[in-house]
Amino acid sequence: MNILVSGGAGYIGSHACKALAQAGFTPVTFDNLSTGWRDAVQFGPFIQGDLTDAEAIGRAFETYEPKAILHFAALSRVDEAMRNPGLYWRNNVLGSLNLIEAAVEHGCLDIVFSSTCATYGDQDNVILDETTQQQPLNAYGASKQAVEQMLRDFGATHGVRHVVFRYFNVAGADPEAQVGEFHRPETHLVPIVLDAVAGVRDGVTIYGTDYPTEDGTCIRDYVHVSDLVDAHLLGLRWLLEGKGSRAFNLGTGSGFSVRDVIDAARRVTNMDVPTTLGDRRPGDAIKLVSGSNRAEHELNWKPCKSTMPQMIEDAWRWHQVADYRE
Ligand code: UDP
């Protein structure tokens, strides 16, 4: 059974393709390689195409007749979204509209969509569960919230069924190090810390040490990418079994500060991580921690690899053996 994977050459998409192939599906990657890597596409056919190109998407549906879609393709950097909101609205929202319209036209009505906890914004002392009001702080979160609404609208009118996953912070790598996290430029905390460990960069700048948290740095809820893609397989089956549209947070409910992550990397690698104290990064929420276990209860999701040492160990193994550098 063919599954169209938009963004299958990216960090999370490539891990999802591996999991799909292992489960007996054929992942068909549709990716413009703007932030993904050709070498990450190892588990099924590859179409180089852009979601803003409606004709290219139509051809992909005609050639492969996918049964369902995992929609990862998106720009996902808060700093970039703050500088260039138009880019986010065009790429993430218009791209998704083209994909969803093509899906409807070709009768492919089951869509698993990558959304984000950034849709919740910065809500002090509010439990972030799936019923929490979404108040994004930046165009990245706003673009994802808009696509969630788009899916609901297309659900009501055209019968699109969707599982929306609101990711918290994804980290780690394939434990077999076949695929992993690699961005250029790198902006995410865990790979930056590991670049510092490896001496690829001088150190890590901690963005803000005056937040109202215990150690003054921002708090995030980290999920292992393997656990995250497990949830996608469960979400896909949920849709194929006709269980209907649903949103799920994907987080563990445990918060780690920036300093916690750096300390964990020091312990796991047994190496130093030089740090510099910097200014706050615009658009960052103080604390994003999931307050829901709906995915555990309803999908039977078991995020058993999502401990900080395990995520760093797997990311570090990948960092040492492979990346997509030509
Ligand atoms: N962060 C940091 N230094 C870096 C990169 C990130 O202090 O070089 C912080 C960032 O401000 C945030 C946390 O680490 O509080 C996680 O950031 P990341 O970009 O990995 O994910 P985000 O939460 O933005 O999705």
PDB file of all heavy atoms in Angstrom, residues 26 99 101 110 119 149 153 172 185 192 209 267 279 282 305 314:
ATOM      1  N   THR A  26       4.565   1.109   1.462  1.00  0.00           N
ATOM      2  CA  THR A  26       5.571   1.718   0.582  1.00  0.00           C
ATOM      3  C   THR A  26       5.493   3.237   0.744  1.00  0.00           C
ATOM      4  O   THR A  26       4.505   3.855   0.333  1.00  0.00           O
ATOM      5  CB  THR A  26       5.316   1.339  -0.896  1.00  0.00           C
ATOM      6  OG1 THR A  26       5.398  -0.080  -1.004  1.00  0.00           O
ATOM      7  CG2 THR A  26       6.347   1.984  -1.809  1.00  0.00           C
ATOM      8  N   LEU A  99      -1.895  20.384  -1.424  1.00  0.00           N
ATOM      9  CA  LEU A  99      -1.840  18.942  -1.137  1.00  0.00           C
ATOM     10  C   LEU A  99      -3.239  18.410  -0.807  1.00  0.00           C
ATOM     11  O   LEU A  99      -3.671  17.371  -1.326  1.00  0.00           O
ATOM     12  CB  LEU A  99      -0.878  18.685   0.029  1.00  0.00           C
ATOM     13  CG  LEU A  99      -0.762  17.229   0.472  1.00  0.00           C
ATOM     14  CD1 LEU A  99      -0.117  16.375  -0.626  1.00  0.00           C
ATOM     15  CD2 LEU A  99       0.068  17.115   1.757  1.00  0.00           C
ATOM     16  N   GLU A 101      -6.173  19.733  -1.524  1.00  0.00           N
ATOM     17  CA  GLU A 101      -7.085  19.778  -2.684  1.00  0.00           C
ATOM     18  C   GLU A 101      -6.804  18.618  -3.646  1.00  0.00           C
ATOM     19  O   GLU A 101      -7.733  17.994  -4.163  1.00  0.00           O
ATOM     20  CB  GLU A 101      -6.962  21.130  -3.403  1.00  0.00           C
ATOM     21  CG  GLU A 101      -7.658  22.224  -2.606  1.00  0.00           C
ATOM     22  CD  GLU A 101      -7.809  23.529  -3.356  1.00  0.00           C
ATOM     23  OE1 GLU A 101      -6.867  23.926  -4.076  1.00  0.00           O
ATOM     24  OE2 GLU A 101      -8.867  24.163  -3.199  1.00  0.00           O
ATOM     25  N   ASP A 110      -7.455  10.189   3.773  1.00  0.00           N
ATOM     26  CA  ASP A 110      -6.893   9.988   5.117  1.00  0.00           C
ATOM     27  C   ASP A 110      -5.537  10.691   5.230  1.00  0.00           C
ATOM     28  O   ASP A 110      -4.585  10.333   4.528  1.00  0.00           O
ATOM     29  CB  ASP A 110      -6.746   8.492   5.404  1.00  0.00           C
ATOM     30  CG  ASP A 110      -8.111   7.827   5.519  1.00  0.00           C
ATOM     31  OD1 ASP A 110      -8.948   8.351   6.291  1.00  0.00           O
ATOM     32  OD2 ASP A 110      -8.359   6.829   4.825  1.00  0.00           O
ATOM     33  N   THR A 119       1.456  25.916  18.402  1.00  0.00           N
ATOM     34  CA  THR A 119       0.112  26.477  18.201  1.00  0.00           C
ATOM     35  C   THR A 119      -0.497  26.936  19.532  1.00  0.00           C
ATOM     36  O   THR A 119      -1.427  27.728  19.541  1.00  0.00           O
ATOM     37  CB  THR A 119      -0.859  25.459  17.546  1.00  0.00           C
ATOM     38  OG1 THR A 119      -0.957  24.312  18.394  1.00  0.00           O
ATOM     39  CG2 THR A 119      -0.393  25.041  16.166  1.00  0.00           C
ATOM     40  N   GLN A 149      -7.160  24.016  10.882  1.00  0.00           N
ATOM     41  CA  GLN A 149      -8.511  24.502  10.552  1.00  0.00           C
ATOM     42  C   GLN A 149      -8.903  24.072   9.139  1.00  0.00           C
ATOM     43  O   GLN A 149     -10.048  23.677   8.881  1.00  0.00           O
ATOM     44  CB  GLN A 149      -8.565  26.027  10.695  1.00  0.00           C
ATOM     45  CG  GLN A 149      -9.939  26.631  10.432  1.00  0.00           C
ATOM     46  CD  GLN A 149     -10.998  26.098  11.409  1.00  0.00           C
ATOM     47  OE1 GLN A 149     -10.784  26.082  12.614  1.00  0.00           O
ATOM     48  NE2 GLN A 149     -12.120  25.637  10.881  1.00  0.00           N
ATOM     49  N   ASP A 153     -12.181  22.051   7.892  1.00  0.00           N
ATOM     50  CA  ASP A 153     -13.101  22.548   6.850  1.00  0.00           C
ATOM     51  C   ASP A 153     -13.253  21.530   5.730  1.00  0.00           C
ATOM     52  O   ASP A 153     -14.367  21.257   5.267  1.00  0.00           O
ATOM     53  CB  ASP A 153     -12.585  23.871   6.269  1.00  0.00           C
ATOM     54  CG  ASP A 153     -12.658  25.010   7.274  1.00  0.00           C
ATOM     55  OD1 ASP A 153     -13.373  24.861   8.286  1.00  0.00           O
ATOM     56  OD2 ASP A 153     -11.995  26.046   7.057  1.00  0.00           O
ATOM     57  N   GLY A 172      16.777  13.013  19.178  1.00  0.00           N
ATOM     58  CA  GLY A 172      17.247  11.644  18.991  1.00  0.00           C
ATOM     59  C   GLY A 172      17.371  11.299  17.518  1.00  0.00           C
ATOM     60  O   GLY A 172      17.195  12.143  16.637  1.00  0.00           O
ATOM     61  N   PRO A 185      21.302  25.763   7.890  1.00  0.00           N
ATOM     62  CA  PRO A 185      22.018  25.843   9.151  1.00  0.00           C
ATOM     63  C   PRO A 185      21.302  25.049  10.239  1.00  0.00           C
ATOM     64  O   PRO A 185      20.079  24.875  10.179  1.00  0.00           O
ATOM     65  CB  PRO A 185      21.992  27.341   9.464  1.00  0.00           C
ATOM     66  CG  PRO A 185      20.741  27.847   8.809  1.00  0.00           C
ATOM     67  CD  PRO A 185      20.568  27.015   7.558  1.00  0.00           C
ATOM     68  N   ILE A 192      22.884  21.080  18.020  1.00  0.00           N
ATOM     69  CA  ILE A 192      23.862  22.147  18.255  1.00  0.00           C
ATOM     70  C   ILE A 192      24.786  21.762  19.408  1.00  0.00           C
ATOM     71  O   ILE A 192      26.011  21.918  19.334  1.00  0.00           O
ATOM     72  CB  ILE A 192      23.137  23.492  18.517  1.00  0.00           C
ATOM     73  CG1 ILE A 192      22.695  24.062  17.175  1.00  0.00           C
ATOM     74  CG2 ILE A 192      24.031  24.476  19.272  1.00  0.00           C
ATOM     75  CD1 ILE A 192      22.007  25.392  17.239  1.00  0.00           C
ATOM     76  N   THR A 209      18.658  33.642  29.837  1.00  0.00           N
ATOM     77  CA  THR A 209      18.896  33.012  31.144  1.00  0.00           C
ATOM     78  C   THR A 209      18.103  33.730  32.231  1.00  0.00           C
ATOM     79  O   THR A 209      18.325  33.515  33.419  1.00  0.00           O
ATOM     80  CB  THR A 209      20.403  33.051  31.486  1.00  0.00           C
ATOM     81  OG1 THR A 209      20.867  34.387  31.325  1.00  0.00           O
ATOM     82  CG2 THR A 209      21.198  32.126  30.575  1.00  0.00           C
ATOM     83  N   ARG A 267      26.990  14.485  30.363  1.00  0.00           N
ATOM     84  CA  ARG A 267      27.051  13.175  31.043  1.00  0.00           C
ATOM     85  C   ARG A 267      27.120  12.024  30.044  1.00  0.00           C
ATOM     86  O   ARG A 267      27.940  11.120  30.175  1.00  0.00           O
ATOM     87  CB  ARG A 267      25.823  12.991  31.954  1.00  0.00           C
ATOM     88  CG  ARG A 267      25.966  13.691  33.311  1.00  0.00           C
ATOM     89  CD  ARG A 267      24.910  13.182  34.294  1.00  0.00           C
ATOM     90  NE  ARG A 267      23.565  13.454  33.813  1.00  0.00           N
ATOM     91  CZ  ARG A 267      22.909  14.598  33.995  1.00  0.00           C
ATOM     92  NH1 ARG A 267      23.473  15.586  34.676  1.00  0.00           N
ATOM     93  NH2 ARG A 267      21.687  14.764  33.528  1.00  0.00           N
ATOM     94  N   ASP A 279      21.090  36.470  24.547  1.00  0.00           N
ATOM     95  CA  ASP A 279      19.782  37.100  24.721  1.00  0.00           C
ATOM     96  C   ASP A 279      18.678  36.093  24.412  1.00  0.00           C
ATOM     97  O   ASP A 279      18.915  35.085  23.758  1.00  0.00           O
ATOM     98  CB  ASP A 279      19.633  38.268  23.737  1.00  0.00           C
ATOM     99  CG  ASP A 279      20.577  39.400  24.099  1.00  0.00           C
ATOM    100  OD1 ASP A 279      20.999  39.468  25.283  1.00  0.00           O
ATOM    101  OD2 ASP A 279      20.917  40.186  23.197  1.00  0.00           O
ATOM    102  N   PRO A 282      13.700  35.822  19.920  1.00  0.00           N
ATOM    103  CA  PRO A 282      12.320  36.284  19.731  1.00  0.00           C
ATOM    104  C   PRO A 282      11.398  35.141  19.296  1.00  0.00           C
ATOM    105  O   PRO A 282      11.774  34.302  18.488  1.00  0.00           O
ATOM    106  CB  PRO A 282      12.445  37.327  18.606  1.00  0.00           C
ATOM    107  CG  PRO A 282      13.875  37.754  18.621  1.00  0.00           C
ATOM    108  CD  PRO A 282      14.665  36.573  19.098  1.00  0.00           C
ATOM    109  N   LYS A 305      11.155   5.273  24.417  1.00  0.00           N
ATOM    110  CA  LYS A 305      12.560   5.678  24.190  1.00  0.00           C
ATOM    111  C   LYS A 305      12.813   7.139  24.590  1.00  0.00           C
ATOM    112  O   LYS A 305      13.943   7.618  24.464  1.00  0.00           O
ATOM    113  CB  LYS A 305      12.924   5.504  22.714  1.00  0.00           C
ATOM    114  CG  LYS A 305      12.922   4.068  22.224  1.00  0.00           C
ATOM    115  CD  LYS A 305      13.706   3.970  20.917  1.00  0.00           C
ATOM    116  CE  LYS A 305      13.709   2.562  20.378  1.00  0.00           C
ATOM    117  NZ  LYS A 305      12.436   2.273  19.651  1.00  0.00           N
ATOM    118  N   ASP A 314      21.325   8.254  21.204  1.00  0.00           N
ATOM    119  CA  ASP A 314      21.024   7.897  19.807  1.00  0.00           C
ATOM    120  C   ASP A 314      21.423   9.017  18.854  1.00  0.00           C
ATOM    121  O   ASP A 314      21.943   8.762  17.761  1.00  0.00           O
ATOM    122  CB  ASP A 314      19.538   7.542  19.656  1.00  0.00           C
ATOM    123  CG  ASP A 314      19.199   6.208  20.325  1.00  0.00           C
ATOM    124  OD1 ASP A 314      20.135   5.413  20.559  1.00  0.00           O
ATOM    125  OD2 ASP A 314      18.014   5.972  20.630  1.00  0.00           O
TER     126      ASP A 314
END
